[in-house]
Amino acid sequence: MGDRCTAPQEGTPRVLEHTQVTVLESENRRDPNSSDCRAVSGVLARIGDKWSVLIVALLGDGPRRFNEIKRLVNGISQRMLTLTLRGLERDGLVTRTVFPTVPPRVDYELTELGRSLWRPVEALGAWAREHQGEIEAARRTFDARRRVWEDGDD
């Protein structure tokens, strides 16, 4: 091992922090390859992505048309909105209703399952708003500390 153990990896601070690690008892651990963990990971991948969270939060106020969602969700492309809505529909969180008009009108709304997700999404949004100042202060502290670490590597 030699020199590899004495020199920190690039980008690694020279100050030791967060050295206390909690080790769970073996019976409390989950095998990440178990079917249960894989299933949960798939659900979290869907509901945890940025666009899905924003769309679920938006649809919590009631049904919306595709272009209305696109206009209200800043920065989403038409393709990404289509893919996200399709995924939410596939997972049973959103229903898509096509009205036989010219041009066809398509509304999206939360299902009962989607409404049950809306509550924790709203709580997460409230938490983020409540702690936004603290998070920004922590980021500034981290960034300043990182600049010191990087300047010390010269």
Side-chain angles (χ1 to χ4, degrees):
M1 293 229 172
D3 293 334
R4 292 177 57 176
C5 291
T6 59
Q9 181 178 355
E10 183 180 337
T12 303
R14 296 176 194 272
V15 180
L16 291 177
E17 294 180 354
H18 307 290
T19 57
Q20 299 297 318
V21 177
T22 303
V23 177
L24 299 175
E25 297 297 323
S26 61
E27 63 268 9
N28 292 333
R29 292 185 197 165
R30 295 259 184 204
D31 176 7
N33 296 315
S34 72
S35 60
D36 186 42
C37 284
R38 286 193 310 271
V40 169
S41 292
V43 171
L44 292 177
R46 161 65 50 221
I47 65 171
D49 81 75
K50 154 180 154 175
W51 301 121
S52 293
V53 167
L54 292 172
I55 291 168
V56 167
L58 184 65
L59 292 177
D61 293 333
R64 304 272 184 168
R65 295 175 76 169
F66 182 90
N67 284 329
E68 183 181 10
I69 297 169
K70 186 172 184 311
R71 189 178 73 250
L72 293 170
V73 178
N74 190 27
I76 193 168
S77 68
Q78 183 163 333
R79 175 165 169 67
M80 183 54 67
L81 178 55
T82 298
L83 292 172
T84 303
L85 286 168
R86 190 175 296 149
L88 291 169
E89 184 180 8
R90 180 175 183 251
D91 289 345
L93 301 169
V94 167
T95 58
R96 177 180 186 266
T97 305
V98 180
F99 295 92
T101 60
V102 178
R105 183 178 129 204
V106 181
D107 282 359
Y108 295 88
E109 68 180 307
L110 295 177
T111 62
E112 191 62 37
L113 182 62
R115 281 190 292 279
S116 73
L117 174 61
W118 178 76
R119 290 178 193 96
V121 165
E122 279 298 299
L124 181 60
W127 180 90
R129 286 187 296 276
E130 181 180 336
H131 296 284
Q132 187 173 1
E134 294 167 75
I135 292 168
E136 288 172 2
R139 287 175 178 170
R140 284 191 302 275
T141 300
F142 178 89
D143 292 345
R145 209 170 47 221
R146 184 169 175 100
R147 281 191 295 278
V148 169
W149 296 334
E150 289 171 352
D151 290 346
D153 287 341
D154 292 341

